[in-house]
Amino acid sequence: MHQTGKPRYGNLKSPEGYSAVKAYSDSKLFNIYFTKSLAERFADSGVTAYALHPGVVKTQFNAKLSGFLKFFFSLSAPFAITPEKGADTSVYLATAPKLAIKSGSYYIKRKAKATAAIVNDLDARNKLWALSEEFVAPFKV
């Protein structure tokens, strides 16, 4: 879904014009933005960061959805995987040190995959990072 996401920064704290589909797509894009930014900012520290798509996982995630997303998840239900299978790539990435050279990459089923070109927009990633710092500043200790 990150491929249909856009850096819509003006709507991060406001429900005005809210669309569940757009918000979900944007959140997937932003997840990859953060992953790439973390990988770059901490490259010399030994810290690695990965983004991943776990697949369509059979959970209660869609229990309170409505509209298109509810319809989409109902269609995908027969193809949904167990939570254990959905966690496989996360566990793999967290425990496989040989992947350090691919920090910042996006994974599906334990394999690095290409992302949409928008993911490489450094200005967009830096803007999201700066806005996030603003949002969390009141909570710093």
Side-chain angles (χ1 to χ4, degrees):
M1 292 286 291
H2 81 276
Q3 294 141 333
T4 59
K6 302 220 180 327
R8 292 179 250 265
Y9 303 111
N11 209 19
L12 292 176
K13 291 170 47 173
S14 169
E16 185 178 322
Y18 178 80
S19 159
V21 174
K22 285 180 184 177
Y24 187 78
S25 296
D26 295 352
S27 74
K28 298 299 135 190
L29 173 63
F30 289 170
N31 183 16
I32 299 172
Y33 276 179
F34 272 114
T35 298
K36 291 185 77 61
S37 294
L38 282 168
E40 291 166 1
R41 291 168 189 257
F42 293 96
D44 296 333
S45 71
V47 171
T48 56
Y50 310 100
L52 67 107
H53 174 51
V56 179
V57 182
K58 194 177 297 188
T59 66
Q60 294 302 311
F61 170 76
N62 62 341
K64 294 185 180 181
L65 293 177
S66 61
F68 173 76
L69 284 179
K70 183 175 182 117
F71 175 71
F72 170 77
F73 280 105
S74 69
L75 288 178
S76 63
F79 308 101
I81 58 177
T82 65
E84 292 78 12
K85 285 185 180 178
D88 180 69
T89 299
S90 295
V91 172
Y92 173 71
L93 293 171
T95 59
K98 66 182 183 207
L99 294 173
I101 58 167
K102 293 183 181 177
S103 184
S105 295
Y106 177 69
Y107 285 80
I108 300 174
K109 294 184 180 177
R110 296 188 176 198
K111 296 194 182 334
K113 299 292 182 178
T115 55
I118 193 170
V119 167
N120 298 313
D121 185 340
L122 184 58
D123 290 336
R125 287 191 287 137
N126 286 338
K127 183 169 182 174
L128 179 64
W129 192 276
L131 283 169
S132 298
E133 285 182 329
E134 272 181 47
F135 294 158
V136 300
F139 305 101
K140 282 187 175 179
V141 289

